[in-house]
Amino acid sequence: MPAFQEYFDPSHQMVRDSVRRFVEREVLPDIDAWEEAESFPRELYLKAGAAGILGIGYPEALGGSHEGDLFAKVAASEELMRCGSGGLVAGLGSLDIGLPPIVKWARPEVRDRVVPQVLSGHKISALAVTEPGGGSDVANLQTRAVRDGDFYRVSGSKTFITSGVRADFYTVAVRTGAPGFGGISLLLIEKGTPGFTVGRQLKKMGWWASDTAELFFDDCRVPVGNLIGAENMGFACIMGNFQSERLALALMANMTAQLALEESLKWAREREAFGKPIGKFQVIKHRLAEMATALEVSREFTYRQAAKMAAGQSVIKEISMAKNFATDTSDRITTEAVQILGGLGYMRESLVERLYRDNRILSIGGGTREVMNEIIAKQMGL
Ligand SMILES: Cc1cc2nc3c(=O)[nH]c(=O)nc-3n(C[C@H](O)[C@H](O)[C@H](O)COP(=O)(O)OP(=O)(O)OC[C@H]3O[C@@H](n4cnc5c(N)ncnc54)[C@H](O)[C@@H]3O)c2cc1C
C-alpha cells in the first residue's frame, strides 16, 4: 500500500510492522479453520494484549499506549484487517466500542478495575445498544433500569451484540427516565450478575469468527456505582462513541476493498482465457482501474476525516459521509472481485468469497446507510 506520509510518521510504521508480524504469526496460519469453526481461541485476546495491540489508543495509566494518537489506531486496524476476516477483527476489537465510555465517564474505581483487565486480554468488553425492537431508533430503546436503593433493577433484552456470548463486561444502554433521548443511561453490567443471561450464538451471513448474541435481563440487580456518566445523559455518550465506530467501519470497508482489489489483480495476471491473461481484456482492465480509483478516493477522504478528528474538529456529517462512501465502494469492489475471479470467486477456498460476505454488514452496523443519510441531511439543514 502507498505510504501516505502526510498522515503517518515513522512511529506509525513501527505499529504497522508489529501488528503485521502478529497477524502473520498468530492469525493467518489458523484463520480459515477459525472461520469454519465460527470462533477463535480466547487465548488470542491474551496474545494481542501481551503484544500491546489491544491497548493502542488508551491511556498508559490504564495499560494502554499511543493515547490520543489516532493514526496509530488507524495503522493497527488496517494491519489487523490483513488477516482477511472481518469477524476476527470485530470480535477481537469489540473493546473499542465497549470501553471508551468507561474510560471517559465511569467512576475511577470502576474504570481502574475494568479497563486494564480488558487491555491485557484477560477480560472481554462488549457494547449493547441494539434491541429486538430496533437498532436505528436509539432514542426509543426499551430496556428499563429502575433505581432501587443502591441498585438498578434492569429488565429487557438486547440483540446482535458482538462478543455477546463470551464478554465479561457489557456497556449497556438502558432507559432510566422518560421516553426519548433524554431518558437514556449507560450501565456496566458484568457477566454472572443474577438476572442476566446470554442467548445462543447467532448464525450469520458473514463475520463468522465473531460471536454475536442476544442478552436477557430479568430483574437484574446492578450496583448504582456501575452507572457510566450521569443518569439520563447516556444518549450523548452513545452518539459520541458512534463517531469512532463509524471511522473504524469506514477503515474496515476500505481494507476489505483493498484486499479484494489485490486478489483481483493477482487473478487478472494469472488467469488465461482465449489465449491471454484476462487482465489484457479491456473490459477487465478498465474495471480494475475504476476499482482502484474508487478505493483511493475513499481512503483519502476517510484519512482526511480522521485527521480532522485527531485535530479535535467536529466531523459528524463528514464521518457519516466517509462511512457511506467507503461502504458503497467496498460493496462495489467486493462484487466486482467475485466477478473477476469467476467460479473461483464463489468458492469458500477463495478469499474474495469471504470478503464479499463479510462486507455486507459494514453498511448496516454502527448506523445503517439510511441513518447516515439522515444525519448528513440534518447537518445540511434539511
Ligand atoms: C454482525 C452484527 C454485529 C452487530 N454488533 C452490534 C454490537 O456489538 N452492539 C450493538 O448494540 N449492536 C450491534 N449490531 C446491531 C446493528 O447496529 C443494527 O443491526 C443496526 O443499527 C440496524 O438496526 P436494526 O437491525 O434493528 O434495523 P432497523 O433499525 O430495524 O432498520 C431496518 C431498516 O430500516 C431502515 N431505517 C430505519 N430508520 C430509518 C429512517 N429514519 N429512514 C430511512 N430508513 C430507516 C434501516 O436503515 C434499515 O434498512 C450488530 C449487527 C450485526 C448484524
Side-chain angles (χ1 to χ4, degrees):
M1 247 202 304
F4 289 108
Q5 284 166 357
E6 191 185 345
Y7 304 108
F8 297 102
D9 66 24
S11 78
H12 300 136
Q13 190 58 43
M14 283 167 70
V15 169
R16 207 177 264 292
D17 292 344
S18 123
V19 178
R20 186 176 288 217
R21 281 196 300 275
F22 179 85
V23 167
E24 284 168 359
R25 191 179 64 242
E26 302 292 349
V27 182
L28 280 175
D30 295 306
I31 191 60
D32 292 346
W34 294 344
E35 274 282 315
E36 292 295 327
E38 298 182 9
S39 186
F40 61 91
R42 198 175 162 117
E43 197 195 356
L44 194 69
Y45 289 91
L46 287 171
K47 289 181 174 173
I53 294 171
L54 301 182
I56 293 172
Y58 293 91
E60 266 180 47
L62 298 172
S65 68
H66 300 85
E67 185 186 8
D69 183 353
L70 190 55
F71 280 92
K73 193 81 191 164
V74 171
S77 312
E78 290 184 338
E79 290 305 321
L80 275 178
M81 278 298 288
R82 288 229 157 250
C83 77
S85 161
L88 183 124
V89 176
L92 199 61
S94 62
L95 81 167
D96 286 327
I97 51 176
L99 274 195
I102 298 177
V103 172
K104 286 186 212 143
W105 297 297
R107 293 178 190 210
E109 55 275 22
V110 170
R111 181 195 64 201
D112 295 350
R113 178 171 62 86
V114 168
V115 178
Q117 294 189 77
V118 175
L119 298 186
S120 66
H122 287 87
K123 300 278 185 188
I124 298 171
S125 163
L127 175 73
V129 176
T130 305
E131 300 188 343
S136 299
D137 189 3
V138 175
N140 191 33
L141 63 84
Q142 302 294 324
T143 298
R144 265 237 155 254
V146 179
R147 182 81 184 255
D148 179 10
D150 290 340
F151 291 88
Y152 286 101
R153 290 178 174 275
V154 181
S155 292
S157 57
K158 298 285 171 183
T159 195
F160 307 151
I161 305 309
T162 300
S163 299
V165 173
R166 60 181 176 184
D168 305 283
F169 299 122
Y170 298 79
T171 302
V172 184
V174 294
R175 180 161 305 285
T176 41
F181 68 88
I184 293 170
S185 302
L186 285 176
L187 276 184
L188 169 71
I189 304 186
E190 301 182 42
K191 177 75 76 40
T193 308
F196 172 29
T197 49
V198 166
R200 71 201 154 84
Q201 178 167 330
L202 300 168
K203 299 286 242 181
K204 305 188 290 292
M205 176 193 288
W207 275 16
W208 288 355
S210 68
D211 92 62
T212 309
E214 275 183 281
L215 314 177
F216 304 98
F217 304 99
D218 180 12
D219 202 20
C220 172
R221 271 162 50 100
V222 180
V224 165
N226 282 20
L227 183 68
I228 301 168
E231 199 176 78
N232 296 330
M233 295 300 286
F235 189 77
C237 302
I238 296 167
M239 291 303 131
N241 211 34
F242 270 142
Q243 294 305 295
S244 48
E245 183 178 1
R246 286 167 190 163
L247 172 64
L249 288 162
L251 291 165
M252 274 181 109
N254 291 337
M255 275 309 289
T256 303
Q258 173 74 33
L259 296 178
L261 176 61
E262 287 173 11
E263 293 296 303
S264 305
L265 279 169
K266 208 160 59 180
W267 191 245
R269 291 191 180 105
E270 269 170 39
R271 180 68 164 185
E272 293 202 354
F274 300 94
K276 58 181 176 181
I278 59 168
K280 294 285 179 201
F281 294 112
Q282 192 178 48
V283 70
I284 302 262
K285 218 178 345 184
H286 284 195
R287 190 173 291 162
L288 287 163
E290 285 170 5
M291 289 157 75
T293 305
L295 175 57
E296 294 242 359
V297 172
S298 177
R299 190 161 42 214
E300 185 58 36
F301 186 71
T302 306
Y303 283 162
R304 176 60 58 200
Q305 304 326 311
K308 287 193 214 159
M309 273 172 99
Q313 293 180 30
S314 168
V315 285
I316 293 171
K317 179 180 73 179
E318 293 82 356
I319 214 70
S320 299
M321 289 174 162
K323 181 175 186 281
N324 273 2
F325 197 89
T327 55
D328 283 347
T329 302
S330 64
D331 282 359
R332 179 169 153 211
I333 291 180
T334 50
T335 302
E336 298 286 21
V338 172
Q339 197 66 24
I340 288 171
L341 267 78
L344 182 60
Y346 199 71
M347 296 295 133
R348 293 259 276 274
E349 68 191 81
S350 89
L351 176 60
V352 300
E353 183 268 348
R354 188 191 304 150
L355 295 170
Y356 178 84
R357 285 186 288 101
D358 280 357
N359 173 70
R360 196 62 193 81
I361 179 60
L362 300 177
S363 58
I364 297 171
T368 63
R369 174 174 293 132
E370 293 74 21
V371 168
M372 293 305 97
N373 280 336
E374 283 295 303
I375 293 169
I376 295 163
K378 192 171 169 199
Q379 295 288 318
M380 290 164 64
L382 296 167

